[in-house]
Amino acid sequence: MMSNNLPSIIEMIETLALISEDKDFLTRRYLTSQHKKVNQLVADWMSVAGMKAWQDPIGNIVGRYEGHENGLPALMLGSHLDTVVNAGKYDGMLGVVTAIHCVASLQRQGKRLPFAVEVIGFADEEGTRFKSTYLGSKAVAGTFDLDTLDRLDSDGISMKEALNTFGLDIKNIPQAARSKNEIAAYVELHIEQGPVLEDKNLAAGIVTEIAGATRLSVEIVGKAGHAGTVPLNLRQDALVTASECIVKLEKIAKASANTVVTVGEILIKPGASNVIPGNAQFTVDLRSTENSVRTKVENEIQQALQEICTKRKTKLITTKTHSAESTICSKNVINQLDDAFVKSGHPTYFLPSGAGHDTAAMSDLTETGMIFLRCREGISHNPAESVKMGDIEVGFQIMLKFIENFKPL
Ligand SMILES: [Zn+2]
């Protein structure tokens, strides 16, 4: 799978992992000098692989390999090149560099297809810098919200200013959007970020849908008091109320198929060992592959929290901070991925994605599909993220087989 002058997939992964804002660990946020450096490097690799490469107006890097004739609709492949803080080196990057290698293989074989192949390295998927996700893929899908330009990073720099410093003109952002006629499908290879494939002893799987998510911010207002003098039956303890709520959330989610709920942050006030907690705040992250189930569970949660707070004489304040619909991958793409698995001698396995991906944003533009690769212990967003060399080869073979046999709808 080596091409002349093109580093191997793993060499590319290792090289990208060194381009970091922090010298001790990998952090590469949107519109930083490291982002610029990575785009230049990836563009060079794309050129070596036989593609014409360019940076689009939102900062995505795109490479195009023409088909039988110039200007045919493209099968777009890729993932993102930005990272979380203290990231692993495979999340995102693996999908981009594997796709470059597939095109390099086509070039080496002198093969042109009845469609173009484009590889895209999205500029921002994680939302690490401006706390808004899918900035790159939304711009391509034509769903980028221009209000995002006013968002500030932790240093008070707006996205508008950051784009300007990076050398991009905000007036051109709408031109990053591609038309439905230009793009035949978008397919993304990504690490699973969960333990299912490892548990099934499989290198790869096909994603059926991407879970939708709702995030709530919950505040429970009770009454602070002396830990020694206020009898238990006369308390309005915000933390005990929150505890009962959290256990109840788990119970509600467990009763619904393909649904998970997580309380990942909790804050207690005043926070002293001899004071009854007067205020508790926690987050709720609710995900389900079915929108109707997520809505139903969300309503059940709201109702249960209210009942518990009423019973414990505390006040409930809930705010919805995020809501995203689930994405169903294209049946046509799934079937063609299924064929590619079989033709490359790998058992087919279907699974939903609990994490969000650029694919979700791209589904507003075109047919989408995803290949998941097993990662060690399902760990991601962590430097311990790890993928076996053999599994990377499997991912490459499946993707290449998929491209070679792809039939646009
Ligand atoms: Zn990712």
Side-chain angles (χ1 to χ4, degrees), residues 79-80 82 91-92 125-126 188 190-191 193 356-358 381:
S79 193
H80 59 96
D82 68 315
D91 179 349
E125 187 269 350
E126 303 283 7
E188 178 167 2
H190 201 281
I191 58 168
Q193 302 182 271
H357 294 287
D358 289 304
H381 287 188

Side-chain angles (χ1 to χ4, degrees), residues 105-124:
S105 171
L106 296 176
Q107 185 205 27
R108 212 165 44 245
Q109 302 171 60
K111 210 169 195 170
R112 294 283 166 180
L113 300 164
F115 49 89
V117 179
E118 290 193 17
V119 178
I120 188 157
F122 287 115
D124 182 294

Side-chain angles (χ1 to χ4, degrees), residues 15-16 19 28 32-48 53-55 59-62 81 100 121 166:
T15 304
L16 292 173
I19 305 172
R28 197 170 52 240
T32 55
S33 61
Q34 290 75 21
H35 171 197
K36 184 167 269 179
K37 201 171 164 190
V38 157
N39 273 3
Q40 278 157 4
L41 186 62
V42 170
D44 288 346
W45 291 336
M46 286 170 165
S47 302
V48 176
W54 70 93
Q55 182 175 271
N60 299 318
I61 194 81
V62 196
L81 292 168
I100 293 174
F166 195 81

